[in-house]
Amino acid sequence: MSKRLRNTEVCADCSVPEPRWASVNRGVLICDECCSVHRSLGRHSSQVRHLTHTPWPPTQLQMVQTLYSNGANSIWEHSLLDPASVMSGKRKANPQDKLHPNKSEFIRAKYQMLAFVHRMPCREDDSSTAKDLSKQLHSSVRTGNLETCLRLLSLGAQANFFHPEKGNTPLHVAAKAGQVSQAELLTVYGADPGAPDSNGKTPIDYAREAGHHDLADRLVEIQYELTDRLAFYLCGRKPDHKNGQHFIVPQMADSSLDLSELAKAAKKKLQSLSNHLFEDLAMDVYDEVDRRETDAVWLATQNHSALVTETTVVPFLPVNPEYSSTRNQGRQKLARFNAHEFATLVIDILSDAKRRQQGNSIASPKDNVELILKSVAVRHCSDSQDNDQPDYDSVASDEDTDQELPSSKGDRTKSLDSDLSDSPITMQEYLEVKNALSASEAKIQQLMKANNNLSDELRLMQKKASKLEKQSSMPESDYDNTFYESEMDDSGLCRRGRLRSSGWLGEGSSIPELDDLEMESDPTLPSTEDVIRKTEQITKNIQELLRAAQENKHDSFIPCSERIHVAVTEMAALFPKRPRSETVRGSLRLLTSSAYRLQSECRKAVPSEGCPGPDMQLVTQQVIQCAYDIAKAAKQLVTITTKENTN
């Protein structure tokens, strides 16, 4: 089916024409602005994919288009169709509404709170109601009426419901009947293609026996979707399931150097996790892969004016209220992994998933996911920087994701070594790791002093771009900084200071400390028009770089990064040498240091004589992450100057 959109299609949430995104589990099409809110809800609420820039399984795309065409949106807006809702003041968002708070509040109510869905009559036994709904779902999936099944799922029917009399699940029924779209919908809601019925047969078995071979092959793909997605993220290839190849496990070029004791302990811990905890960790990493890949598509598809709108990328996994605080914290910290660290964790998970599928298990009396996450990051870092404060005091609430965003993007290239402070390892082990990584305390202090002086050096570079090459001999790690302890005050606002200086605050937020302490009138700031003009120039150059990355034109990286650096330097020169606002200083710091780091990463794309060729997959990911930091810092500066000049 063609992915091209018909002119009649409109955003399900605000009615803007020609939406470019889809929410797979909601069966609706959405525009760019509304998509940014969907993403902040998390995949447990809305699973978004771009209609043309994301690879789609054809049958899944067909399922979404069928739901959209048959009015699936009315399921989520049921009560709004009642004329009485107009009288009560309830209405859906429209194209003229502001994204924050109008559209975002409506979208949260619609999908997160399910405020407008049809409510079943109250009964004393909720479990009995869910069982009745699940039995209705079990009967309905043999037909092609997709929206009926989506309605039942929205009311609480269980996709994996095991019918006590029939002895099977809805997916068994759909597979036997050859209902491809029903099978796609059920699996989006968690149905297991490998679940046995009372006779020991799986939905895959029933599809093959009934002659629905394409459906059977698709169910096999869905069964391995998690590991397939992880492998494709690293190497751009998927296993050949039809020929019995179910796993691809890429290898790191420097895996032979992986000798640290903590790294070995991490692998051992990973192998000894119970299957349940291993699956949880793998699913969290899958969600992080989805977030990173969708971020890349998001940035690549925005036009030049996107930076001056309220839409934003999602810098860490949103909170899932069904998970524990500990698990949500671990999920958020995945965003701190740079490309090399994250690839290491993905490879370890793929390796162990393959081992477990082959039936090799290792029993362990103790499970420790936290040590695995921390030590994988440490494994491939050097010259790590210390930070006595944990990254997250508590798990952010869903509302916080649009307001206070931890400095994950900017910190992503920094080692998770700082996280060891709240891990269960001993101080002796901690020091051994530091020694193994050649990062003694003296070196740490030296780096911290370099960080404190870095902002002044970068301001000089903004004025004198010709001196850039003279500075290029500085260690790269000196520029992997997004927080500055020397500028934190004594009032206990260390974490707030880091949030502000990261440049990752969501626009439209209302943070008392930001509003009251930081946004005092500053007449020395440049005009909004000048900042927007320079921002659009930066954005244009970033899009050129991303196109080169998508087309694997790695020889274009260096000239693109140089043009970006010039544009960044010109933008930074608009601002006073020492802006009054800490937020401005932090955003400028992120902007300029990210531009410098981008040049360093782009230089890695050129092989050095006598050295092995670079891992272009990892280099490209680092380049894209640097581009994110630049874009977000520029957007933050536009927002600040806009607020300042309208006061």
Side-chain angles (χ1 to χ4, degrees):
M1 178 178 177
S2 172
K3 295 181 186 176
R4 293 193 175 275
L5 303 179
R6 298 186 297 276
N7 292 332
T8 56
E9 291 173 336
V10 298
C11 174
D13 298 331
C14 71
S15 302
V16 165
E18 300 187 14
R20 302 193 298 173
W21 296 81
S23 174
V24 180
N25 59 323
R26 303 299 184 178
V28 297
L29 305 184
I30 51 179
C31 67
D32 285 15
E33 278 200 341
C34 292
C35 176
S36 69
V37 181
H38 276 251
R39 294 199 61 217
S40 72
L41 301 181
R43 291 187 72 254
H44 54 281
S45 288
S46 183
Q47 301 170 18
V48 300
R49 297 172 74 93
H50 196 278
L51 286 164
T52 56
H53 284 68
T54 302
W56 280 80
T59 50
Q60 188 181 73
L61 180 62
Q62 176 70 58
M63 181 266 291
V64 172
Q65 291 282 17
T66 300
L67 283 171
Y68 174 83
S69 301
N70 291 333
N73 195 40
S74 64
I75 295 173
W76 314 111
E77 296 182 356
H78 176 83
S79 65
L80 295 180
L81 301 177
D82 185 347
S85 67
V86 179
M87 302 298 293
S88 66
K90 293 182 180 179
R91 68 169 182 87
K92 72 178 295 176
N94 61 52
Q96 290 74 40
D97 284 335
K98 290 184 177 181
L99 179 59
H100 299 296
N102 306 74
K103 291 182 181 179
S104 62
E105 287 182 356
F106 171 73
I107 292 168
R108 288 184 184 280
K110 179 178 175 181
Y111 299 108
Q112 197 172 57
M113 308 305 295
L114 300 179
F116 313 121
V117 300
H118 175 64
R119 297 294 181 185
M120 298 291 290
C122 294
R123 294 176 55 172
E124 293 183 2
D125 189 354
D126 290 338
S127 63
S128 177
T129 302
K131 187 175 181 180
D132 290 344
L133 290 168
S134 298
K135 285 187 175 181
Q136 292 180 48
L137 177 68
H138 192 279
S139 300
S140 299
V141 293
R142 69 180 74 252
T143 72
N145 198 338
L146 266 183
E147 60 273 20
T148 296
C149 293
L150 180 60
R151 191 181 302 276
L152 290 168
L153 289 164
S154 75
L155 294 173
Q158 299 300 305
N160 272 317
F161 172 72
F162 191 87
H163 199 295
E165 290 83 26
K166 307 290 185 182
N168 57 14
T169 69
L171 189 55
H172 285 92
V173 177
K176 187 174 182 179
Q179 292 291 343
V180 179
S181 291
Q182 294 283 22
E184 288 284 356
L185 179 61
L186 288 169
T187 53
V188 163
Y189 275 82
D192 182 4
D197 68 355
S198 56
N199 296 319
K201 292 184 178 181
T202 68
I204 298 171
D205 295 330
Y206 279 105
R208 291 206 192 283
E209 288 178 3
H212 308 304
H213 297 293
D214 288 343
L215 174 56
D217 291 340
R218 173 65 183 140
L219 289 174
V220 172
E221 288 181 2
I222 293 171
Q223 189 174 19
Y224 289 96
E225 179 187 2
L226 189 151
T227 50
D228 283 5
R229 179 82 177 270
L230 299 188
F232 190 82
Y233 172 75
L234 290 182
C235 64
R237 293 186 297 119
K238 289 185 178 180
D240 184 0
H241 296 292
K242 290 184 179 180
N243 291 320
Q245 181 196 28
H246 298 309
F247 292 93
I248 291 178
V249 183
Q251 297 299 316
M252 299 289 283
D254 62 350
S255 58
S256 61
L257 302 177
D258 181 12
L259 301 174
S260 79
E261 290 302 317
L262 192 58
K264 293 176 183 177
K267 278 197 171 185
K268 190 173 181 181
K269 287 285 187 182
L270 184 69
Q271 292 175 349
S272 63
L273 285 179
S274 66
N275 286 337
H276 173 69
L277 283 179
F278 178 78
E279 288 173 4
D280 286 350
L281 176 61
M283 283 166 30
D284 294 344
V285 170
Y286 175 95
D287 286 349
E288 175 65 13
V289 165
D290 180 83
R291 185 193 66 81
R292 294 186 182 210
E293 290 186 333
T294 307
D295 269 358
V297 173
W298 175 263
L299 189 59
T301 55
Q302 299 303 293
N303 59 35
H304 294 174
S305 62
L307 284 176
V308 299
T309 70
E310 294 177 296
T311 58
T312 182
V313 294
V314 177
F316 67 101
L317 288 175
V319 171
N320 186 334
E322 295 183 3
Y323 296 160
S324 66
S325 296
T326 302
R327 183 174 178 184
N328 274 310
Q329 279 188 325
R331 284 164 57 85
Q332 290 179 348
K333 288 181 180 180
L334 288 172
R336 298 279 314 276
F337 284 48
N338 66 28
H340 206 175
E341 297 161 357
F342 191 60
T344 303
L345 178 58
V346 171
I347 289 171
D348 285 351
I349 287 176
L350 285 171
S351 299
D352 212 55
K354 181 178 180 180
R355 179 188 65 80
R356 289 168 188 261
Q357 200 255 3
Q358 293 172 347
N360 301 324
S361 61
I362 301 176
S364 171
K366 187 176 181 180
D367 296 317
N368 194 338
V369 178
E370 189 72 8
L371 179 58
I372 294 166
L373 290 178
K374 295 177 192 306
S375 52
V376 166
V378 172
R379 189 184 319 176
H380 289 291
C381 294
S382 61
D383 292 338
S384 302
Q385 301 171 17
D386 256 346
N387 172 23
D388 292 335
Q389 298 293 329
D391 295 314
Y392 303 94
D393 283 333
S394 60
V395 178
S397 69
D398 289 327
E399 289 74 13
D400 290 337
T401 57
D402 276 344
Q403 298 177 356
E404 299 180 38
L405 303 179
S407 51
S408 54
K409 290 279 185 178
D411 284 352
R412 195 181 288 165
T413 55
K414 191 176 80 65
S415 162
L416 281 197
D417 201 308
S418 58
D419 292 337
L420 288 170
S421 58
D422 61 352
S423 76
I425 67 173
T426 65
M427 180 57 67
Q428 181 181 356
E429 290 171 322
Y430 174 82
L431 293 176
E432 288 173 357
V433 172
K434 301 294 285 185
N435 291 333
L437 296 175
S438 302
S440 65
E441 291 304 314
K443 178 64 175 175
I444 297 299
Q445 294 303 320
Q446 180 183 351
L447 288 174
M448 296 309 297
K449 289 178 182 178
N451 284 340
N452 295 337
N453 296 327
L454 182 59
S455 57
D456 289 336
E457 294 171 0
L458 289 174
R459 288 192 186 97
L460 289 175
M461 289 165 59
Q462 295 163 13
K463 300 290 185 181
K464 302 175 181 179
S466 60
K467 292 186 178 181
L468 175 64
E469 292 302 321
K470 294 181 181 180
Q471 301 289 339
S472 63
S473 60
M474 294 185 68
E476 181 185 344
S477 59
D478 287 352
Y479 289 87
D480 291 345
N481 61 74
T482 51
F483 63 97
Y484 297 81
E485 282 82 353
S486 65
E487 296 190 14
M488 295 181 185
D489 59 23
D490 296 326
S491 62
L493 297 180
C494 296
R495 189 160 323 284
R496 288 286 186 206
R498 195 180 347 161
L499 291 181
R500 289 196 295 261
S501 64
S502 71
W504 282 97
L505 285 171
E507 281 65 48
S509 62
S510 178
I511 302 174
E513 289 161 292
L514 178 65
D515 294 339
D516 299 339
L517 302 181
E518 304 262 292
M519 298 304 291
E520 299 175 4
S521 178
D522 188 351
T524 63
L525 292 182
S527 69
T528 304
E529 292 75 14
D530 288 343
V531 176
I532 290 176
R533 188 171 64 254
K534 293 300 182 184
T535 295
E536 290 178 343
Q537 184 180 350
I538 292 171
T539 309
K540 182 178 179 180
N541 292 325
I542 286 177
Q543 290 177 330
E544 182 183 352
L545 175 65
L546 293 177
R547 280 194 294 271
Q550 288 179 327
E551 297 169 4
N552 293 321
K553 294 180 179 178
H554 302 127
D555 54 346
S556 299
F557 278 13
I558 291 180
C560 285
S561 68
E562 289 174 350
R563 285 191 288 273
I564 291 171
H565 183 272
V566 170
V568 164
T569 302
E570 291 176 353
M571 180 170 180
L574 295 174
F575 290 81
K577 183 177 180 181
R578 294 189 178 278
R580 185 179 303 170
S581 167
E582 165 62 20
T583 308
V584 175
R585 292 198 299 272
S587 297
L588 285 171
R589 206 177 286 130
L590 178 64
L591 182 75
T592 52
S593 62
S594 298
Y596 185 90
R597 189 156 44 84
L598 176 65
Q599 289 192 310
S600 298
E601 294 296 337
C602 288
R603 292 191 191 103
K604 295 178 182 179
V606 180
S608 302
E609 189 174 340
C611 297
D615 185 335
M616 293 311 305
Q617 178 81 9
L618 296 178
V619 170
T620 300
Q621 290 178 18
Q622 291 283 36
V623 165
I624 291 173
Q625 290 169 10
C626 291
Y628 277 134
D629 289 343
I630 295 169
K632 282 301 296 179
K635 180 179 177 180
Q636 182 74 1
L637 289 169
V638 169
T639 303
I640 293 169
T641 54
T642 300
K643 289 180 179 179
E644 190 69 39
N645 291 325
T646 54
N647 286 343

